[in-house]
Amino acid sequence: MTDMQSTETPAKAEEERYDPAAIEPKWQGYWEEAQTFLTPENPGDDKLYVLDMFPYPSGAGLHVGHPEGYTATDIIARSRRARGTSVLHPMGWDAFGLPAEQHAIKTGTHPRIKTVENIATFRRQLKALGFSYDWTREVDTTDPDYVRWTQWIFLQLFHAGLAYQDEVSVNWCAALGTVLANEEVIDGKSERGGHPVERLPLRQWMLKITAYADRLLAGLEGVDWPNSTRIMQGEWIGRSEGAEVTFEVQGADQNIEVFTTRPDTLFGATFMVLAPEHPLVAQITTDAQREAVNAYVATAKNKSDRDRQASKEKTGVFTGGHAINPVSGAEVPIWVADYVLMGYGTGAIMAVPAHDTRDFEFAKAHGIDIAQVVSATGEPAGDFDQAFTELGVAVNSGKYDGMATADAKAAITADLEKDGKGKARTEYKLRDWIFSRQRYWGEPFPIYFPVTTDGDPREGAEHTIHYDQPIAVDESELPVRLPELEDYQPGDDPAGVLARAKDWRFFQKDGQWFARETNTMPQWAGSCWYYLRFCDPKNPDALASKDALATWLPVDLYVGGAEHAVLHLLYARFWHMVLYDQGHVPTPEPFGKLIHQGMILGEDNQKMSKSRGNVVNPDDVIARFGADTLRVYEMFMGPLEATKPWNSEAIGGSKRFLDRCWKLSTMVHEGADVALDSATKKSVHKTIAKVTSDIDELKFNTAISAMMVLSKELEKAGAPREGVEILAKLVHPFAPHLGEEMWELLGHPPSVQHAGWPVADAALLVDDEVEIPVQVNGKKRAVLVLAADATEEQAMAAAKEDPKVAEALGEGTLRKTIYVPKRILNLIIK
RNA sequence: CGUGAAGAAGCUCAGUGGAGAGCGCCUGGCUCAGGACCGGGAGAGCGCGGGUUCGAAUCCCGCCUUCACGGCCA
């Protein structure tokens, strides 16, 4: 096959132009044939696992945002292979998901059909961009061989007690017959159709991610991630230390537990607030207040958390009940208000209006006392128009007066504990993960339940499913496959679409009826562990062999969008930690270095969207300029992590750079046997050093800029072979088809990928002559060319001979001379 | 409101103490002409105000604007 790449074709005419439409398919064919990017069987210590966040193969095809991150990782992969590193650089599909299911609902075709089609489009587009993926390792999360191991991991979680069922309030829309995400509910109506949506408690599978909260937090310390991402994830976990305090309810044999991070402000707690769902609300409410409280609770119940939080007004109702402040003995009123959330802490708070913004607003709105107990100065102030939330010194707090906030916290917590009225406690914002969806196109749970029935439940016999007795499917029976359905319309059963597949759902074993779980897993499930499967994608006996995992983990470089900064990266870390604890993976963390590529905006500086009409289609760009130009342009636009707008004029500049590279190699090919002069040689070696370090630092835009400059110099130098060969090696990770073509024009057999990486000669990187600006009183007057090691005297002498400097010096007296070798000569005169 | 990032030539960006590149623009050459190519050129109060320094885009303090993400977590 390789013989057919005749070197005669490009040789024949000067009219020949760089023609990506011919070159690119040619080399893509070569790579596929020669298996150029196959992952090495026995990688040594020098290994690199470079991973892109795999895409959801949407019907719209590839977006110009995709090639940005993918080109970045490809440059790393290719340049490191050239340097002899064993590289794992795979690609796959996060292919479960709602769009394919919605398409199925509309058309009645199985979501798999549309999914397979979309994957084919994505694969074709990615191959057209010349990425050096090892396509033999492709994975697809919807493939039963993959689903099998997703289900297997779920069973490990289940057996470890980390998967459990709970009743969770969800948005149920009876008209649509489905559960909606918060985003799909607007003002209590469904986004599609405007049907009423109610909050309904529904049985859900939960994963106990909170059990790993501290480790997920601690692990962030050791990981090479963007600071902002680590902060975001840390805040999402939201660890806060404080105290649990017990308030007695007056006239009742009841206590209310609250969580506070400011036990030092306990003397300032002038009221309490319960969340509307708090179990004690009904008992505490007095008859006089019952009607108002019931009405308030009912309204709050039908609001989603999001709607509740949308309103900044502090609404609430007095219950009529009172509690006793455990330190001051004061009677404080108990209110119900929806700004207190049942899901955090204990669902009840002690309200300290003087020192908490929300409590302050509430007290102002409802005329409740405000008592200052912390002051910046140690002296109580007068009235204040906003809460004082800073740290300070305790006042009006009995024996704790005068203590700094931190000391007061510790002292009060210790005393509460002694009196049995409280104790230190740590809280997290992180909640357990709702892991089930009432959808079709997802992984079935490998779980079934006993059924009590007097007939055949498939035929509609009365039956009871014992959800409280979940049974794991035996591992040997995995995967549990999705049933075929006649149609994919959501039904009227909140248990999910699968509940209608009665033949699939109910089965008999040893004369006993059982029912399969009809929920499916969320899209996150497959993406939680795909990076493990890439290490050993065909393994039939395990999610991946221990050897393969030990070889490749952790992922050395992971590139993907910042929108996954919290959820995907947190969920994947959680699964990884569980697998680590069970001895299935060898590293405590999955991902080493993480980078988020920036967003590419439309030419109008707005987010690309169909409605704005500013979408750039990669297929069009490839047709017009070629894949290499698209790659180079996207890398040249700016720093990888920056948000930057598309510019259809500037892309021509990248094309012209590649034109010039191609021309240089044809010049050599046609016999220009020019030797490399010493000045150009210097430039070549400086460029090697610059491009190499820029690639390692992911500064691709500056690497390209350096190669642009070099290409012009090489052209002026008449295309010296030695320089052009080095340029071909340097440019090939960025523009791989062109790199191969240049290498061939220069008379070498393919592939440039295996031709090694140039090494800069350190001796050529230092200049023996330097340009030194001369300033007089800080204003630049001249630039001198001096020996790099010129002394101050030599520099002064040269400066005085310069007419412009002499003129500027004029009659003045020299008061001071600042000479920084290789940088500046500044003369201060008066 | 909070967190993070960024403000530099018309545009997109290099530049960690002494202002540069690409694209665009003007101009000459080449061409029947255009494009491409080659040569030359114009174009920057480096967001604002202070401070440190011989000298600040760069270091320090305050402020403004834009973008991204997050939202009542006691």
Side-chain angles (χ1 to χ4, degrees):
Chain A
M1 263 314 273
T2 57
D3 293 349
M4 66 178 260
Q5 267 99 49
S6 154
T7 50
E8 282 160 26
T9 316
K12 65 181 177 214
E14 289 187 337
E15 295 301 312
E16 286 282 344
R17 299 269 305 271
Y18 164 49
D19 181 12
I23 289 175
E24 291 176 357
K26 165 182 158 187
W27 290 107
Q28 284 157 20
Y30 170 81
W31 294 326
E32 188 134 359
E33 190 75 17
Q35 306 245 324
T36 310
F37 309 117
L38 215 54
T39 311
E41 285 287 328
N42 296 304
D45 289 341
D46 183 19
K47 71 90 185 177
L48 190 76
Y49 186 177
V50 198
L51 183 67
D52 294 299
M53 287 186 186
F54 68 163
Y56 172 72
S58 72
L62 216 59
H63 175 272
V64 287
H66 288 111
E68 190 190 10
Y70 299 166
T71 303
T73 54
D74 200 54
I75 292 167
I76 298 290
R78 286 175 179 270
S79 75
R80 289 293 295 273
R81 273 190 218 105
R83 278 184 261 174
T85 303
S86 298
V87 173
L88 173 58
H89 187 42
M91 181 44 80
W93 320 108
D94 189 14
F96 278 122
L98 224 40
E101 180 159 352
Q102 269 153 358
H103 183 264
I105 291 169
K106 247 188 278 169
T107 63
T109 53
H110 195 289
R112 164 152 293 283
I113 293 170
K114 184 70 182 162
T115 301
V116 166
E117 208 176 286
N118 290 349
I119 287 176
T121 303
F122 264 67
R123 192 190 296 111
R124 173 186 65 73
Q125 290 184 304
L126 292 179
K127 288 193 174 177
L129 279 157
F131 295 127
S132 65
Y133 296 120
D134 178 354
W135 285 105
T136 67
R137 290 183 179 241
E138 185 178 340
V139 304
D140 167 359
T141 55
T142 66
D143 184 332
D145 285 338
Y146 187 94
V147 167
R148 174 181 176 193
W149 295 107
T150 309
Q151 290 173 340
W152 182 87
I153 296 171
F154 175 82
L155 287 182
Q156 309 315 304
L157 289 155
F158 178 70
H159 293 314
L162 293 167
Y164 64 97
Q165 300 171 83
D166 197 8
E167 296 280 319
V168 179
S169 190
V170 297
N171 305 303
W172 170 249
C173 179
L176 292 173
T178 190
V179 172
L180 300 175
N182 283 334
E183 293 76 21
E184 297 172 303
V185 182
I186 295 164
D187 287 338
K189 302 259 168 70
S190 65
E191 187 185 15
R192 285 179 298 135
H195 304 293
V197 174
E198 58 179 325
R199 304 282 297 168
L200 195 76
L202 200 61
R203 181 184 61 89
Q204 303 277 5
W205 281 96
M206 309 288 290
L207 295 187
K208 210 182 273 179
I209 190 171
T210 52
Y212 279 74
D214 272 327
R215 283 182 46 201
L216 288 165
L217 195 61
L220 290 173
E221 297 296 324
V223 115
D224 184 8
W225 287 14
N227 210 18
S228 56
T229 302
R230 295 199 332 220
I231 288 169
M232 242 188 277
Q233 228 177 74
E235 288 184 351
W236 187 265
I237 295 166
R239 181 188 159 101
S240 58
E241 287 171 25
E244 183 181 292
V245 183
T246 306
F247 281 67
E248 283 172 30
V249 178
Q250 194 177 43
D253 189 16
Q254 287 291 354
N255 291 331
I256 300 175
E257 309 285 346
V258 303
F259 173 72
T260 176
T261 55
R262 291 296 300 273
D264 61 297
T265 61
L266 191 44
F267 283 85
T270 54
F271 61 105
M272 299 189 74
V273 185
L274 304 181
E277 302 88 344
H278 197 282
L280 293 179
V281 169
Q283 296 174 49
I284 287 167
T285 300
T286 58
D287 291 339
Q289 292 297 105
R290 190 163 306 277
E291 199 176 329
V293 169
N294 287 349
Y296 185 81
V297 169
T299 316
K301 198 177 147 190
N302 261 321
K303 285 200 230 168
S304 68
D305 282 358
R306 179 170 283 233
D307 286 341
R308 267 197 207 184
Q309 294 172 12
S311 162
K312 281 164 201 137
E313 262 176 65
K314 295 280 176 291
T315 60
V317 178
F318 178 45
T319 62
H322 290 82
I324 307 296
N325 184 313
V327 287
S328 67
E331 248 180 54
V332 297
I334 303 170
W335 289 65
V336 178
D338 67 4
Y339 80 91
V340 172
L341 307 174
M342 193 58 217
Y344 184 79
T346 60
I349 62 161
M350 64 178 218
V352 185
H355 306 291
D356 180 278
T357 311
R358 297 150 304 180
D359 298 344
F360 182 84
E361 285 168 9
F362 191 87
K364 279 285 183 190
H366 299 94
I368 303 170
D369 290 344
I370 297 174
Q372 186 191 18
V373 291
V374 183
S375 129
T377 57
E379 295 298 319
D383 292 344
F384 32 124
D385 52 10
Q386 59 174 35
F388 176 76
T389 58
E390 332 253 302
L391 305 185
V393 176
V395 295
N396 299 327
S397 295
K399 65 174 180 171
Y400 307 102
D401 279 356
M403 291 174 95
T405 298
D407 300 334
K409 276 187 191 178
I412 294 184
T413 305
D415 289 348
L416 285 171
E417 189 146 12
K418 208 163 24 180
D419 298 345
K421 291 177 177 171
K423 61 183 180 214
R425 173 165 162 175
T426 303
E427 268 294 326
Y428 301 87
K429 286 188 210 174
L430 185 69
R431 311 290 165 77
D432 278 344
W433 176 10
I434 303 176
F435 191 66
S436 40
R437 302 289 183 271
Q438 292 69 47
R439 303 283 183 184
Y440 175 78
W441 194 225
E443 298 89 346
F445 282 81
I447 294 286
Y448 57 96
F449 307 95
V451 173
T452 312
T453 181
D454 52 6
D456 184 343
R458 294 174 303 185
E459 307 295 333
E462 290 273 327
H463 61 270
T464 307
I465 300 174
H466 300 283
Y467 288 115
D468 56 339
Q469 298 165 42
I471 303 163
V473 170
D474 193 84
E475 285 181 16
S476 65
E477 292 171 32
L478 298 180
V480 175
R481 291 169 190 255
L482 285 167
E484 300 296 319
L485 292 185
E486 306 252 316
D487 76 275
Y488 303 89
Q489 295 290 338
D492 52 5
D493 187 345
V497 189
L498 291 181
R500 284 207 319 259
K502 292 196 164 44
D503 290 344
W504 174 85
R505 185 185 194 185
F506 295 104
F507 63 95
Q508 258 181 314
K509 199 161 100 180
D510 303 330
Q512 161 76 42
W513 280 99
F514 296 96
R516 294 190 185 283
E517 174 57 78
T518 55
N519 286 317
T520 52
M521 298 187 201
Q523 201 178 352
W524 303 111
S527 61
C528 266
W529 71 283
Y530 73 111
Y531 61 95
L532 299 175
R533 190 64 175 170
F534 278 139
C535 296
D536 191 10
K538 307 247 164 46
N539 194 315
D541 305 317
L543 56 85
S545 77
K546 296 223 156 146
D547 274 359
L549 293 173
T551 298
W552 293 111
L553 290 180
V555 174
D556 296 288
L557 177 65
Y558 194 26
V559 176
E563 66 272 22
H564 296 115
V566 175
L567 296 181
H568 159 63
L569 289 166
L570 192 68
Y571 293 157
R573 292 179 63 220
F574 165 50
W575 278 33
H576 192 94
M577 284 178 184
V578 173
L579 292 171
Y580 175 73
D581 285 352
Q582 299 186 1
H584 299 298
V585 298
T587 61
E589 287 282 340
F591 312 120
K593 187 177 176 70
L594 171 74
I595 296 286
H596 301 303
Q597 85 275 17
M599 210 187 320
I600 295 182
L601 304 174
E603 286 204 74
D604 53 0
N605 243 302
Q606 305 274 316
K607 256 186 198 167
M608 280 193 195
S609 72
K610 270 188 222 152
S611 58
R612 290 200 185 87
N614 60 355
V615 175
V616 178
N617 181 330
D619 283 341
D620 297 344
V621 179
I622 293 174
R624 210 168 142 215
F625 296 98
D628 282 339
T629 296
L630 175 59
R631 294 170 56 121
V632 167
Y633 172 62
E634 290 208 5
M635 292 300 96
F636 186 56
M637 287 173 82
L640 182 61
E641 293 168 85
T643 305
K644 52 234 167 214
W646 188 265
N647 181 338
S648 56
E649 286 178 344
I651 191 169
S654 298
K655 173 74 175 351
R656 280 198 285 282
F657 163 58
L658 299 184
D659 279 337
R660 186 180 290 116
C661 291
W662 184 85
K663 199 173 107 186
L664 285 167
S665 45
T666 58
M667 286 165 76
V668 176
H669 180 76
E670 285 160 17
D673 204 0
V674 180
L676 194 56
D677 66 87
S678 68
T680 311
K681 188 166 188 166
K682 256 189 171 180
S683 298
V684 168
H685 281 260
K686 282 185 177 173
T687 309
I688 295 172
K690 168 95 178 139
V691 171
T692 307
S693 62
D694 277 355
I695 288 175
D696 290 343
E697 291 163 41
L698 308 172
K699 289 156 72 172
F700 305 115
N701 54 332
T702 55
I704 292 166
S705 176
M707 290 187 286
M708 285 175 167
V709 172
L710 179 68
S711 70
K712 288 194 171 177
E713 286 192 45
L714 289 174
E715 190 175 29
K716 281 181 194 162
R721 166 178 284 276
E722 190 183 337
V724 177
E725 291 199 341
I726 288 171
L727 180 63
K729 288 180 178 177
L730 292 179
V731 85
H732 97 265
F734 298 80
H737 313 87
L738 175 71
E740 296 282 15
E741 186 71 15
M742 288 174 76
W743 196 239
E744 189 179 66
L745 282 165
L746 292 166
H748 301 289
S751 158
V752 67
Q753 171 73 100
H754 299 132
W757 190 252
V759 178
D761 180 349
L764 293 172
L765 300 181
V766 288
D767 289 310
D768 30 335
E769 281 196 333
V770 290
E771 290 191 343
I772 294 194
V774 181
Q775 294 183 340
V776 176
N777 285 353
K779 277 197 87 169
K780 185 159 96 177
R781 297 297 181 184
V783 178
L784 303 175
V785 176
L786 294 174
D789 56 356
T791 63
E792 182 170 337
E793 288 71 27
Q794 289 168 324
M796 274 302 285
K800 279 178 180 160
E801 274 175 32
D802 186 283
K804 288 211 168 129
V805 176
E807 187 191 342
L809 287 173
E811 306 288 296
T813 21
L814 190 63
R815 302 209 38 173
K816 191 168 180 184
T817 305
I818 297 111
Y819 177 62
V820 183
K822 297 188 214 180
R823 310 239 39 170
I824 195 81
L825 175 64
N826 191 5
L827 307 174
I828 310 301
I829 63 171
K830 198 181 177 190

